[in-house]
PDB file of all heavy atoms in Angstrom:
ATOM      1  N   PHE A 234      -8.616   6.473  -0.013  1.00 96.00           N
ATOM      2  CA  PHE A 234      -7.221   6.863  -0.337  1.00 96.00           C
ATOM      3  C   PHE A 234      -6.683   5.982  -1.478  1.00 96.00           C
ATOM      4  O   PHE A 234      -7.120   4.865  -1.711  1.00 96.00           O
ATOM      5  CB  PHE A 234      -6.302   6.765   0.899  1.00 96.00           C
ATOM      6  CG  PHE A 234      -6.020   5.368   1.393  1.00 96.00           C
ATOM      7  CD1 PHE A 234      -4.925   4.656   0.949  1.00 96.00           C
ATOM      8  CD2 PHE A 234      -6.894   4.776   2.315  1.00 96.00           C
ATOM      9  CE1 PHE A 234      -4.687   3.373   1.441  1.00 96.00           C
ATOM     10  CE2 PHE A 234      -6.657   3.492   2.815  1.00 96.00           C
ATOM     11  CZ  PHE A 234      -5.527   2.781   2.347  1.00 96.00           C
ATOM     12  N   PHE A 235      -5.710   6.526  -2.191  1.00 97.00           N
ATOM     13  CA  PHE A 235      -4.913   5.832  -3.150  1.00 97.00           C
ATOM     14  C   PHE A 235      -3.458   5.759  -2.660  1.00 97.00           C
ATOM     15  O   PHE A 235      -2.971   6.759  -2.153  1.00 97.00           O
ATOM     16  CB  PHE A 235      -4.924   6.511  -4.544  1.00 97.00           C
ATOM     17  CG  PHE A 235      -6.256   6.603  -5.227  1.00 97.00           C
ATOM     18  CD1 PHE A 235      -6.466   7.611  -6.166  1.00 97.00           C
ATOM     19  CD2 PHE A 235      -7.280   5.726  -4.917  1.00 97.00           C
ATOM     20  CE1 PHE A 235      -7.684   7.693  -6.806  1.00 97.00           C
ATOM     21  CE2 PHE A 235      -8.493   5.795  -5.561  1.00 97.00           C
ATOM     22  CZ  PHE A 235      -8.710   6.809  -6.508  1.00 97.00           C
ATOM     23  N   THR A 236      -2.795   4.650  -2.854  1.00 98.00           N
ATOM     24  CA  THR A 236      -1.359   4.569  -2.596  1.00 98.00           C
ATOM     25  C   THR A 236      -0.676   4.547  -3.962  1.00 98.00           C
ATOM     26  O   THR A 236      -0.875   3.621  -4.761  1.00 98.00           O
ATOM     27  CB  THR A 236      -1.004   3.299  -1.819  1.00 98.00           C
ATOM     28  OG1 THR A 236      -1.734   3.309  -0.571  1.00 98.00           O
ATOM     29  CG2 THR A 236       0.463   3.256  -1.508  1.00 98.00           C
ATOM     30  N   CYS A 237       0.128   5.572  -4.254  1.00 97.00           N
ATOM     31  CA  CYS A 237       0.747   5.766  -5.571  1.00 97.00           C
ATOM     32  C   CYS A 237       2.258   5.947  -5.381  1.00 97.00           C
ATOM     33  O   CYS A 237       2.660   6.942  -4.800  1.00 97.00           O
ATOM     34  CB  CYS A 237       0.202   6.982  -6.261  1.00 97.00           C
ATOM     35  SG  CYS A 237      -1.579   7.114  -6.401  1.00 97.00           S
ATOM     36  N   THR A 238       3.088   5.022  -5.854  1.00 96.00           N
ATOM     37  CA  THR A 238       2.776   3.917  -6.723  1.00 96.00           C
ATOM     38  C   THR A 238       3.483   2.675  -6.240  1.00 96.00           C
ATOM     39  O   THR A 238       4.435   2.773  -5.432  1.00 96.00           O
ATOM     40  CB  THR A 238       3.225   4.174  -8.153  1.00 96.00           C
ATOM     41  OG1 THR A 238       4.657   4.160  -8.209  1.00 96.00           O
ATOM     42  CG2 THR A 238       2.786   5.506  -8.667  1.00 96.00           C
ATOM     43  N   ASN A 239       3.062   1.573  -6.797  1.00 98.00           N
ATOM     44  CA  ASN A 239       3.812   0.320  -6.602  1.00 98.00           C
ATOM     45  C   ASN A 239       5.025   0.296  -7.537  1.00 98.00           C
ATOM     46  O   ASN A 239       5.305   1.289  -8.227  1.00 98.00           O
ATOM     47  CB  ASN A 239       2.882  -0.883  -6.908  1.00 98.00           C
ATOM     48  CG  ASN A 239       3.292  -2.163  -6.157  1.00 98.00           C
ATOM     49  OD1 ASN A 239       4.462  -2.336  -5.855  1.00 98.00           O
ATOM     50  ND2 ASN A 239       2.337  -3.013  -5.928  1.00 98.00           N
ATOM     51  N   THR A 240       5.746  -0.817  -7.590  1.00 98.00           N
ATOM     52  CA  THR A 240       6.949  -0.869  -8.394  1.00 98.00           C
ATOM     53  C   THR A 240       6.597  -0.917  -9.902  1.00 98.00           C
ATOM     54  O   THR A 240       5.489  -1.242 -10.285  1.00 98.00           O
ATOM     55  CB  THR A 240       7.773  -2.131  -8.035  1.00 98.00           C
ATOM     56  OG1 THR A 240       6.951  -3.320  -8.245  1.00 98.00           O
ATOM     57  CG2 THR A 240       8.211  -2.091  -6.600  1.00 98.00           C
ATOM     58  N   LEU A 241       7.593  -0.625 -10.709  1.00 98.00           N
ATOM     59  CA  LEU A 241       7.471  -0.633 -12.164  1.00 98.00           C
ATOM     60  C   LEU A 241       7.978  -1.988 -12.673  1.00 98.00           C
ATOM     61  O   LEU A 241       9.153  -2.294 -12.528  1.00 98.00           O
ATOM     62  CB  LEU A 241       8.248   0.515 -12.775  1.00 98.00           C
ATOM     63  CG  LEU A 241       8.234   0.619 -14.315  1.00 98.00           C
ATOM     64  CD1 LEU A 241       6.792   0.894 -14.815  1.00 98.00           C
ATOM     65  CD2 LEU A 241       9.165   1.714 -14.766  1.00 98.00           C
ATOM     66  N   GLY A 242       7.091  -2.776 -13.267  1.00 97.00           N
ATOM     67  CA  GLY A 242       7.465  -4.124 -13.714  1.00 97.00           C
ATOM     68  C   GLY A 242       8.274  -4.145 -14.958  1.00 97.00           C
ATOM     69  O   GLY A 242       8.464  -3.142 -15.675  1.00 97.00           O
ATOM     70  N   GLY A 243       8.816  -5.338 -15.259  1.00 97.00           N
ATOM     71  CA  GLY A 243       9.534  -5.562 -16.503  1.00 97.00           C
ATOM     72  C   GLY A 243      10.922  -4.960 -16.539  1.00 97.00           C
ATOM     73  O   GLY A 243      11.455  -4.727 -17.658  1.00 97.00           O
ATOM     74  N   CYS A 244      11.527  -4.674 -15.385  1.00 97.00           N
ATOM     75  CA  CYS A 244      12.845  -4.049 -15.336  1.00 97.00           C
ATOM     76  C   CYS A 244      13.939  -5.044 -15.058  1.00 97.00           C
ATOM     77  O   CYS A 244      13.707  -6.157 -14.550  1.00 97.00           O
ATOM     78  CB  CYS A 244      12.858  -2.949 -14.283  1.00 97.00           C
ATOM     79  SG  CYS A 244      11.680  -1.600 -14.627  1.00 97.00           S
ATOM     80  N   VAL A 245      15.170  -4.672 -15.429  1.00 97.00           N
ATOM     81  CA  VAL A 245      16.304  -5.589 -15.341  1.00 97.00           C
ATOM     82  C   VAL A 245      17.463  -4.884 -14.627  1.00 97.00           C
ATOM     83  O   VAL A 245      17.677  -3.699 -14.818  1.00 97.00           O
ATOM     84  CB  VAL A 245      16.733  -6.046 -16.742  1.00 97.00           C
ATOM     85  CG1 VAL A 245      18.107  -6.727 -16.709  1.00 97.00           C
ATOM     86  CG2 VAL A 245      15.729  -6.957 -17.379  1.00 97.00           C
ATOM     87  N   MET A 246      18.179  -5.628 -13.793  1.00 96.00           N
ATOM     88  CA  MET A 246      19.395  -5.171 -13.170  1.00 96.00           C
ATOM     89  C   MET A 246      20.481  -6.248 -13.333  1.00 96.00           C
ATOM     90  O   MET A 246      20.214  -7.420 -13.167  1.00 96.00           O
ATOM     91  CB  MET A 246      19.170  -4.874 -11.687  1.00 96.00           C
ATOM     92  CG  MET A 246      20.353  -4.235 -10.961  1.00 96.00           C
ATOM     93  SD  MET A 246      20.057  -3.992  -9.170  1.00 96.00           S
ATOM     94  CE  MET A 246      18.697  -2.836  -9.157  1.00 96.00           C
ATOM     95  N   PHE A 247      21.676  -5.801 -13.703  1.00 94.00           N
ATOM     96  CA  PHE A 247      22.760  -6.745 -13.834  1.00 94.00           C
ATOM     97  C   PHE A 247      23.550  -6.874 -12.553  1.00 94.00           C
ATOM     98  O   PHE A 247      23.567  -5.958 -11.719  1.00 94.00           O
ATOM     99  CB  PHE A 247      23.687  -6.317 -14.978  1.00 94.00           C
ATOM    100  CG  PHE A 247      23.192  -6.655 -16.358  1.00 94.00           C
ATOM    101  CD1 PHE A 247      22.141  -5.925 -16.937  1.00 94.00           C
ATOM    102  CD2 PHE A 247      23.712  -7.760 -17.055  1.00 94.00           C
ATOM    103  CE1 PHE A 247      21.680  -6.270 -18.198  1.00 94.00           C
ATOM    104  CE2 PHE A 247      23.235  -8.075 -18.305  1.00 94.00           C
ATOM    105  CZ  PHE A 247      22.208  -7.348 -18.885  1.00 94.00           C
ATOM    106  N   GLN A 248      24.226  -7.982 -12.389  1.00 92.00           N
ATOM    107  CA  GLN A 248      25.017  -8.213 -11.197  1.00 92.00           C
ATOM    108  C   GLN A 248      26.049  -7.127 -10.932  1.00 92.00           C
ATOM    109  O   GLN A 248      26.303  -6.754  -9.795  1.00 92.00           O
ATOM    110  CB  GLN A 248      25.706  -9.596 -11.217  1.00 92.00           C
ATOM    111  CG  GLN A 248      24.794 -10.773 -10.906  1.00 92.00           C
ATOM    112  CD  GLN A 248      25.590 -12.016 -10.629  1.00 92.00           C
ATOM    113  OE1 GLN A 248      26.618 -11.978  -9.950  1.00 92.00           O
ATOM    114  NE2 GLN A 248      25.102 -13.133 -11.165  1.00 92.00           N
ATOM    115  N   ASP A 249      26.631  -6.629 -12.033  1.00 90.00           N
ATOM    116  CA  ASP A 249      27.700  -5.647 -11.848  1.00 90.00           C
ATOM    117  C   ASP A 249      27.155  -4.288 -11.332  1.00 90.00           C
ATOM    118  O   ASP A 249      27.919  -3.420 -10.917  1.00 90.00           O
ATOM    119  CB  ASP A 249      28.496  -5.442 -13.141  1.00 90.00           C
ATOM    120  CG  ASP A 249      27.674  -4.890 -14.282  1.00 90.00           C
ATOM    121  OD1 ASP A 249      26.482  -4.574 -14.074  1.00 90.00           O
ATOM    122  OD2 ASP A 249      28.192  -4.774 -15.401  1.00 90.00           O
ATOM    123  N   GLN A 250      25.837  -4.159 -11.306  1.00 93.00           N
ATOM    124  CA  GLN A 250      25.251  -2.937 -10.725  1.00 93.00           C
ATOM    125  C   GLN A 250      25.025  -3.090  -9.205  1.00 93.00           C
ATOM    126  O   GLN A 250      24.818  -2.084  -8.529  1.00 93.00           O
ATOM    127  CB  GLN A 250      23.892  -2.652 -11.358  1.00 93.00           C
ATOM    128  CG  GLN A 250      23.937  -2.304 -12.819  1.00 93.00           C
ATOM    129  CD  GLN A 250      22.561  -2.153 -13.410  1.00 93.00           C
ATOM    130  OE1 GLN A 250      21.953  -3.121 -13.846  1.00 93.00           O
ATOM    131  NE2 GLN A 250      22.054  -0.931 -13.434  1.00 93.00           N
ATOM    132  N   THR A 251      25.108  -4.306  -8.714  1.00 92.00           N
ATOM    133  CA  THR A 251      24.823  -4.548  -7.275  1.00 92.00           C
ATOM    134  C   THR A 251      26.033  -4.469  -6.399  1.00 92.00           C
ATOM    135  O   THR A 251      25.893  -4.355  -5.186  1.00 92.00           O
ATOM    136  CB  THR A 251      24.157  -5.932  -7.095  1.00 92.00           C
ATOM    137  OG1 THR A 251      25.112  -6.961  -7.370  1.00 92.00           O
ATOM    138  CG2 THR A 251      22.966  -6.064  -8.017  1.00 92.00           C
ATOM    139  N   GLY A 252      27.222  -4.622  -6.979  1.00 80.00           N
ATOM    140  CA  GLY A 252      28.426  -4.651  -6.136  1.00 80.00           C
ATOM    141  C   GLY A 252      28.647  -5.985  -5.475  1.00 80.00           C
ATOM    142  O   GLY A 252      29.529  -6.130  -4.650  1.00 80.00           O
TER     143      GLY A 252
END
Side-chain angles (χ1 to χ4, degrees):
F234 69 93
F235 297 157
T236 302
C237 308
T238 69
N239 207 333
T240 59
L241 179 64
C244 296
V245 168
M246 186 183 295
F247 280 77
Q248 281 194 42
D249 63 5
Q250 294 175 274
T251 69

